[in-house]
Amino acid sequence: MIDLICGTRLTAQEFWSRSALGLSLQRLAHDDRLKPRIYFENSRGLPALYNERIAAEDASPVLVFIHDDVWLDDYFFCEHVSAAVQAVDIVGVAGNRRRVPGQPSWAFPTIKFEWDERSNLSGTVAHGPNPFGKLSFFGPVPASCELLDGVLIATRRDLLREKRVGFDEQFDFHFYDMDFCRAARAAGLWLATWPLAITHQSEGGFGSNAWLENYKKYIGKWGD
């Protein structure tokens, strides 16, 4: 069983009728191993929702934290996620093999927002408004990483509970994924990219005031 955990600002009707994830889940409705855990009309930070599901008594053994603007292009999604979390502790679809001081994103080593060298990156993600969008190839997959993109992160619930790794609720919609990766690596967990086919409708919201506030919190916490 796999919990698919998502916070969305949309109502239930809007989510199921027009969001990328909602429409994808309807397409995969035949697979009863996939358990949508959707927080509709959500205004809470994502870490609070994710921690709630990690602690929930009815949580599934495998947890997938995902955004609502993601098309699941992979109709063998359950098989591929299950194989991933048996092979690696925590998996994502894109990431960076290294981490440098002050790094603000898995993709960018500095706040100039210039892409890191291709040799440090891993992953393939499609982008666009519709499923099966234009592919962005970042680097070979699978690959061990220090940082993963928070658009999709999959792991085993028992592992997070055993290692006491969760999401820091001082972050809301920015840097929760960077912080989670740092905490996981500090606990000795293995992070890696994995071949999972998705299309992401968004390219990210770097540089906004909310983003900068969370960046300050992140640097304040980790010191680099």
Side-chain angles (χ1 to χ4, degrees), residues 9 25 35 47 59 70 99 104-105 108 110 117 121-122 136 140 146-147 161 172 212 222:
R9 293 185 175 90
L25 289 172
K35 304 295 182 184
V70 171
R99 177 180 52 78
S105 162
F108 310 128
T110 73
E117 297 177 8
L121 303 179
S122 171
S136 297
E146 291 295 321
L147 300 169
R161 291 170 65 88
D172 46 27
L212 287 169
W222 292 101

Side-chain angles (χ1 to χ4, degrees), residues 15-70:
F15 175 83
W16 292 114
S17 64
R18 64 181 177 87
S19 76
L21 184 60
L23 294 171
S24 297
L25 289 172
Q26 290 187 66
R27 184 169 182 251
L28 298 175
H30 65 279
D31 197 334
D32 59 8
R33 294 170 298 177
L34 200 56
K35 304 295 182 184
R37 309 291 190 179
I38 314 300
Y39 291 83
F40 303 109
E41 300 179 70
N42 177 62
S43 60
R44 299 162 62 194
L46 295 179
L49 312 183
Y50 293 171
N51 287 337
E52 191 170 284
R53 289 308 309 168
I54 293 169
E57 291 185 4
D58 62 345
S60 295
V62 177
L63 307 177
V64 176
F65 308 103
I66 190 169
H67 294 180
D68 66 350
D69 60 348
V70 171

